[in-house]
Amino acid sequence: MPPSHRPAPGAAPTLSRVTRPSTVDLITVELRNAIYTGALRVGSPIREIEVARQLGVSRGPFREAAQRLVSEGLVVATPGRGLSVRQIGRDQVRPLYAARATVETSAARIAVDQATDQQIAAVRTAHEELARADATHDALRVGAADLNLHWQLVAASGNAWLMGWMSTLIVEVRIASFTVSEVYVVRKDAAEAHAPLVERLEARDADGLEAAIRANLDDAVMRLLAPESVGAETLEDPSPLPPPHLDPLHL
């Protein structure tokens, strides 16, 4: 994935599309993004005929795309009941974030050692986008910009395996947020809270960057599991999640 790649607004940070994406590739990206945004809600059934019709695709490639998401752990296949969006409950939040910390700190150390100036600049740009999102007071937009900053940090490593794992972890983080709480909560000062990550990367300070990442993720875990204990002011999304409807792919 080129370091300059950033997802469209509302889309999950993910691996860039292949040069000539197949129908299955496009459906996979669309379904992954629908889970990330909440258009396909956690725990809800994925009705094959209905969703394939909404996307304007046939059932064969839809099934193949859905099976990719099953293999990623984003969708659950239950015999006799079909497909549903995965749920990630409170007891799974800490293991999820432990996995995320492993990927992000590993990528950070590689980035400190090997990232180009252009790759580091992409992280700075993502932080500027997070600051602009803060000004909107839109919790979902801030959350997307937050995750995109972490994605750009992993992308700065240039390691395709770490990027692949991160693309799934980011969607799982959204699933956990939607499962654990009825509202989507972010820090009101998200840009300020993330500034040390960018500063330590720019200084090529591996130990400082790892410490900043771990502190940031620990704060995120507490915000999910014990929001009353978080000292910072927060924003909550007061609006209902997007309706469970997908637009045609225009293949």
Side-chain angles (χ1 to χ4, degrees):
M1 172 177 171
S4 61
H5 172 79
R6 283 186 291 279
T14 184
L15 293 177
S16 61
R17 299 183 182 192
V18 293
T19 304
R20 294 181 180 176
S22 68
T23 298
V24 175
D25 293 326
L26 294 173
I27 297 169
T28 302
V29 169
E30 193 70 14
L31 291 176
R32 188 185 292 115
N33 287 339
I35 294 169
Y36 177 81
T37 62
L40 287 176
R41 296 170 182 166
V42 294
S44 66
I46 300 176
R47 296 180 175 85
E48 178 183 309
I49 297 175
E50 179 182 341
V51 178
R53 177 182 54 77
Q54 289 179 6
L55 293 174
V57 299
S58 60
R59 294 170 66 182
F62 177 87
R63 286 174 179 169
E64 186 175 343
Q67 286 305 310
R68 288 187 184 181
L69 297 188
V70 170
S71 67
E72 291 180 18
L74 303 179
V75 168
V76 177
T78 305
R81 298 181 60 184
L83 302 172
S84 61
V85 180
R86 181 184 176 190
Q87 292 180 295
I88 298 178
R90 297 176 64 87
D91 61 327
Q92 297 172 300
V93 168
R94 292 188 186 279
L96 169 62
Y97 272 80
R100 188 177 163 189
T102 298
V103 170
E104 292 193 36
T105 57
S106 298
R109 289 191 171 274
I110 296 171
V112 163
D113 185 52
Q114 300 179 16
T116 65
D117 291 343
Q118 181 183 11
Q119 288 171 317
I120 292 176
V123 179
R124 170 59 69 181
T125 298
H127 185 258
E128 292 167 354
E129 292 173 352
L130 177 56
R132 286 192 289 272
D134 273 357
T136 69
H137 302 292
D138 180 330
L140 283 172
R141 180 172 172 180
V142 172
D146 174 332
L147 290 172
N148 184 49
L149 172 58
H150 286 270
W151 165 257
Q152 291 295 341
L153 180 58
V154 173
S157 73
N159 186 296
W161 282 273
L162 293 173
M163 292 156 67
W165 294 328
M166 188 64 175
S167 70
T168 298
L169 283 168
I170 280 175
V171 184
E172 290 178 314
V173 165
R174 270 291 179 89
I175 290 174
S177 297
F178 291 148
T179 304
V180 169
S181 177
E182 294 181 357
V183 294
Y184 189 80
V185 181
V186 296
R187 288 180 65 120
K188 187 176 287 187
D189 62 346
E192 181 180 346
H194 283 77
L197 279 66
V198 186
E199 293 165 357
R200 292 303 89 210
L201 175 61
E202 291 176 333
R204 295 190 183 269
D205 173 5
D207 290 341
L209 178 54
E210 177 172 343
I213 290 170
R214 291 190 182 279
N216 183 276
L217 297 183
D218 287 346
D219 176 81
V221 169
M222 293 306 296
R223 200 164 56 249
L224 271 174
L225 298 182
E228 68 284 349
S229 68
V230 177
E233 290 186 84
T234 58
L235 296 170
E236 297 181 1
D237 177 39
S239 307
L241 292 174
H245 180 81
L246 302 175
D247 295 324
L249 285 174
H250 303 298
L251 299 174

